[in-house]
Amino acid sequence: MRKSKKDGSGKAHVASTINEPLYVNRPVAVNKQGFLSRFDEIWDARWFTNDGPMVQELEHELAKYLGVGHCVLASNGTAAMGLLIDALGLGGKVVLPAFTFVSTAHLLALRRMEPVFCDIYPDGHDLSVEHCQELLSDETSAVIATHIWGRPAKIESLQALCDEAGIPLIFDAAHAFGTRHGERMIGRFGRAEVFSFHATKLFHTFEGGAVTTECSELAERLRQLRNFGFTEYDQVDCIGTNAKMSEVHAAMGLANLESIESIMMGTRDVYEAYERGLRSIEGLTLARPRSKAETNNYYVPVLVDEAKFGVTRDKLVSVLHSENVLVRRYFYPGSHRLAPYKAIVGDMISLPVTDFVSERIMVLPGGASLTVEDVEAVCSLLERIHLKHADKGDRPPLSDNPGLG
Ligand code: T4K
């Protein structure tokens, strides 16, 4: 984690320019020694992949941390979701949000299935239960909801809907490592949950992912599928693939898991600094979790209201980039408007909330790689851009930036 710079008085001061790029979800790199000592072990044992001891240990430790029966690691989150789709034998149509990462839609389309894009709620940006209900049909084989921004989807309502329809509910928990829902951690809900451990996630293994489930048979099936369908040496019982995690990736996961409490605390401090800093900036609305207790604080999604802020979301993004604040437009456009899906659904589909949010959303740099001082500098920059463009009279100087002229 980056240390905050303080002056002689011990007070952190807000920099007027941001000299180093601030990335959205820059990977945490906190426990180098924990990683290197495990790397030495791997090197000496010369066991590099194929369900090695580090992978087994990480599966055990993650299941314990999440309080779930089984954790099956995979080479990345997309591969993990693919294993699950195949293990459950899904076919036909699957309902999922258009406002999420496009990976799951791709998995379905590649399997000749139909992604049925569902709208979201304007407050939480998560799957609308009401719209999902409208979209269910006899051909629907599952619902895959995302815990967007690391906050739980409407778990109980979706579960009731899927139970009534007799179909499995799956959660894309890629954003939600470390989030609680009531007394339980995310990872224990639905038929199964799927995590991404990509470098940009709160908890990561460089690249990686996992399926978590309470169902032993499902876990066993997933293990077979990720290893070409092998059940024994020379025995292949089903058609499978290669979605295995290597030992080096698992070693990084074990090192990060050792530091997870400090990573989570640093992440929360950064989010709370944004809560304070963005409060007074007109035209920027921090999309907050429904419950402060049910978030991992990792994502800092902000909606830009052009009329009140003074510039469009896209102009603001480009100005921030030129000032070293590398914000992202996650998730713009909605999957239904990406070329491969637009070609299929065209204008036949109406997802007004998805369109509204995706045209205004901007994700600010968050997570424990930042300092509170970084956040104060970002908020101060946002304030100055707003004041300049909303023509409030007070115009502190910005660095040379043609975009602001
Ligand atoms: N479901 C959801 C809801 C997801 O968000 C994702 C992945 C998945 C499923 C699928 O899981 P995986 O199969 O990926 O495990 C990134 C990630 O590649 C992707 O994992 C992630 N979501 C998606 C939202 O973002 P890009 O193309 O935006 O990544 P990139 O390279 O622009 O990096 C993002 C930011 O991180 C930049 O600000 C730069 C910074 N960065 C990135 C890397 C890789 C670093 O500072 N260091 C690095 O090493 O896709």
Side-chain angles (χ1 to χ4, degrees), residues 105-231:
H106 284 348
L107 287 168
L108 300 170
L110 285 168
R111 286 164 174 74
R112 305 276 179 261
M113 296 163 65
E114 187 184 329
V116 178
F117 294 118
C118 183
D119 216 350
I120 53 170
Y121 289 112
D123 62 339
H125 307 166
D126 54 327
L127 196 81
S128 157
V129 182
E130 294 75 19
H131 192 218
C132 181
Q133 184 163 25
E134 280 173 36
L135 294 172
L136 293 181
S137 74
D138 291 347
E139 294 169 81
T140 312
S141 65
V143 171
I144 305 181
T146 301
H147 298 306
I148 193 86
W149 312 137
R151 298 127 190 212
K154 297 220 168 175
I155 294 176
E156 288 73 23
S157 310
L158 287 169
Q159 190 62 65
L161 199 63
C162 289
D163 286 349
E164 202 184 317
I167 54 174
L169 172 62
I170 295 169
F171 289 108
D172 176 342
H175 286 183
F177 190 85
T179 296
R180 290 188 165 275
H181 178 55
E183 297 298 302
R184 290 155 67 175
M185 302 286 282
I186 291 298
R188 287 185 63 183
F189 296 96
R191 182 71 61 85
E193 305 212 48
V194 179
F195 290 93
S196 164
F197 300 147
H198 183 259
T200 54
K201 299 295 186 267
L202 183 146
F203 167 80
H204 75 88
T205 59
F206 299 130
E207 282 274 5
V211 181
T212 56
T213 181
E214 294 296 350
C215 176
S216 313
E217 297 86 68
L218 179 58
E220 198 42 48
R221 179 89 176 150
L222 291 162
R223 290 181 201 289
Q224 287 170 17
L225 286 171
R226 81 171 168 189
N227 187 27
F228 311 101
F230 277 104
T231 45

Side-chain angles (χ1 to χ4, degrees), residues 23-27 76-78 100-101 103 146 172 174-175 196 198 200-201 208 328 330-331:
Y23 295 101
V24 168
N25 306 335
R26 187 167 193 222
N76 56 65
T78 307
T100 188
F101 197 52
S103 53
T146 301
D172 176 342
H175 286 183
S196 164
H198 183 259
T200 54
K201 299 295 186 267
R328 296 296 295 265
Y330 294 133
F331 289 98

Side-chain angles (χ1 to χ4, degrees), residues 32-64:
K32 190 173 180 182
Q33 208 38 55
F35 171 68
L36 288 179
S37 62
R38 289 180 173 89
F39 180 80
D40 283 342
E41 276 181 51
I42 295 167
W43 189 267
D44 292 342
R46 239 187 277 186
W47 192 278
F48 296 150
T49 185
N50 287 6
D51 207 18
M54 295 277 169
V55 163
Q56 290 182 27
E57 187 184 344
L58 183 58
E59 287 187 336
H60 176 79
E61 292 301 322
L62 284 172
K64 198 163 83 181

